Amino acid sequence: MKLVFNLKNCIFSNRKEKDISMTTKRLSINMAANLLAFTVNIGINFFLTPYIIKTVGTESFGFVGLATNFVNYASLLTIALNSMAGRFITINIYQNNLKEANKYYNSVLLANTFIAIILLVLSIICVFNLNQLLNISSGIYKDVQILFALLFMNFIVSTIGSIFAIATFAKNRLDLSSLRGIESNLLRASLLIGLFYFFEPSIAYLGIAALSASFYVLLTNIYYTKKLLPELKVKKFYFDIKSIKELLSSGIWNTIIRLGQLLLDGIDLLVANLFLGATAMGTLALAKTVPMFITYLVGVLAGVFMPNFTIQYARNNIKELIKDIKQSMKIMGIIVGIPISMLIAFGDIFYSLWTPSENSWELQLLSIISVATIIISGSINPIYNVFTVTNKLKHNALWLIGTGALNTIIVLVLLKTTSLGLYAIAGVSTTISIMRNLIFTAPYGAKYLGAKWNTFFSEIIKSIVSISIITMLALFLRIFININTWTELFLFGSISSLLGLIINCFLILTKEERGNLLKIIKRTNNKGE
């Protein structure tokens, strides 16, 4: 009897160890693929942005960001339905409720098609009345109008096809979606280079490239859905109005969350255009480019952990879920702190080399103000997933809409009563976001998992200390060096980043975690040999 008991324990232990090993392996693959996709996207934008600004001007470039923000406004109509679809479908698949999974899948697909028709009508009205909504110079009006039309069409295509992106999420194969992202970005870059080379420069080309890339993503997502989730079938009889209502009742809070986010940082370019003019809007759009990339990096990394969080919650492994969240926060702190520190230390040099015709000091200051919130939210970001995974979105939504409204009011008052201008637009949202994350996001994320309110604060403090130390180290190096070229900036930036990674590994990781990391590196090297 004892032998049988020990054998069972051994089998269970081996199976559990195997599951952990597979989860770690999948997490590593997904993260590597996502970081590669991020690097490709950054590389493309790094080389194309200065060229676009040089050929079409800062004012025109500002409308690219503004058009994207308009698309974000339109997304409020789709978030309630689509934001929770991945959660409900994934949980039902792992609980073997395939009929329910198919109900959600088909209901969302049909509803998205209906929403897309509404969006098409609204887009046409907006495009033909664009001069009534914005300050646009007559010389670039037609190009701006075409850009808006193409980006709206791009959003409509993405809305219809969003349900097909669930396959890689549900199967925790985000490496496949990252590969698709790399390919679509290369397609977009090739089209942009070709159009700008063979034809007269126009910002409308960005819309053409984006739409073409979205069609490619749609086709590959359909392929992945058939391959990874053959049990999901497109059949009309699966449509269920109750499934739509359930998704909307949960997802409506995500709509409010998104509205709050837009009020915090999504209407900044619109406010700059209406109150300060198109040129000031272009300056702000350029200054937010690097912070936007860092924000994108945060989203890329946080998205890697979401499928595993959902699976752990579906299996009721709450202790493992909390452990995974803390681990993800450490990883975020190690990686995200590096570009933030480099921007603070070398931002003025970067902008003087990247956009020599612009005021590098102003761009750096605006960038630092914009990126300051990520010092906190960078490590906290995985906690945002808790609200979705646990389907407890109400309080998060109310906090976001409240702080978003407060941000809008304060910014408008400051623009009317002070001369702060762009600094008011960039600074107020950063201050309010930091306060919200510390007062609500971190403690309530722990509370919804049944943990103490301060469970995640140790990781946040480590991240702040880490960024401070790396920034001071980089600034100290600047005392002894004079950087005037891209080569010098890359060299000393790389040295600072490497030292920063080493510091992070000792400051953020425990001795055991460092040991596990070394084992992984040694195992990888041995396999390579």
Side-chain angles (χ1 to χ4, degrees), residues 22 53 68 115 167 170 210 221 246 296 397 520 525:
M22 286 299 295
I53 293 172
T68 303
I115 292 173
N221 275 340
E246 186 176 8
Y296 176 49
I520 293 172
N525 289 336

Side-chain angles (χ1 to χ4, degrees), residues 367-495:
S367 292
I368 292 173
I369 293 172
S370 298
V371 85
T373 184
I374 308 177
I375 295 174
I376 303 295
S377 66
S379 60
I380 277 182
N381 206 274
I383 302 176
Y384 296 156
N385 295 328
V386 172
F387 304 116
T388 300
V389 168
T390 59
N391 196 18
K392 293 182 178 180
L393 301 164
K394 180 179 178 180
H395 290 101
N396 188 34
L398 293 176
W399 269 83
L400 267 165
I401 193 67
T403 53
L406 179 63
N407 170 73
T408 303
I409 294 170
I410 294 175
V411 167
L412 294 179
V413 170
L414 290 177
L415 288 176
K416 285 287 188 181
T417 59
T418 71
S419 58
L420 290 173
L422 293 177
Y423 299 104
I425 297 174
V428 174
S429 63
T430 293
T431 303
I432 291 177
S433 293
I434 290 173
M435 292 174 62
R436 187 195 72 252
N437 281 323
L438 292 176
I439 296 172
F440 171 76
T441 306
Y444 270 76
K447 176 185 176 182
Y448 289 152
L449 294 174
K452 292 182 179 179
W453 68 272
N454 61 348
T455 297
F456 301 119
F457 272 84
S458 60
E459 311 307 329
I460 298 171
I461 293 171
K462 288 178 184 178
S463 178
I464 296 172
V465 173
S466 168
I467 291 173
S468 301
I469 292 174
I470 298 170
T471 301
M472 288 188 289
L473 174 65
L475 289 172
F476 178 74
L477 287 176
R478 280 198 63 175
I479 298 174
F480 305 100
I481 57 177
N482 187 24
I483 302 175
N484 296 304
T485 66
W486 281 115
T487 302
E488 293 170 343
L489 179 61
F490 178 79
L491 175 62
F492 290 105
S494 298
I495 293 172

Side-chain angles (χ1 to χ4, degrees), residues 37-64:
F38 169 79
T39 303
V40 171
N41 187 33
I42 292 298
I44 290 170
N45 285 282
F46 175 78
F47 290 106
L48 285 179
T49 299
Y51 176 75
I52 292 171
I53 293 172
K54 184 178 179 180
T55 53
V56 302
T58 304
E59 180 182 349
S60 294
F61 179 77
F63 282 103
V64 177

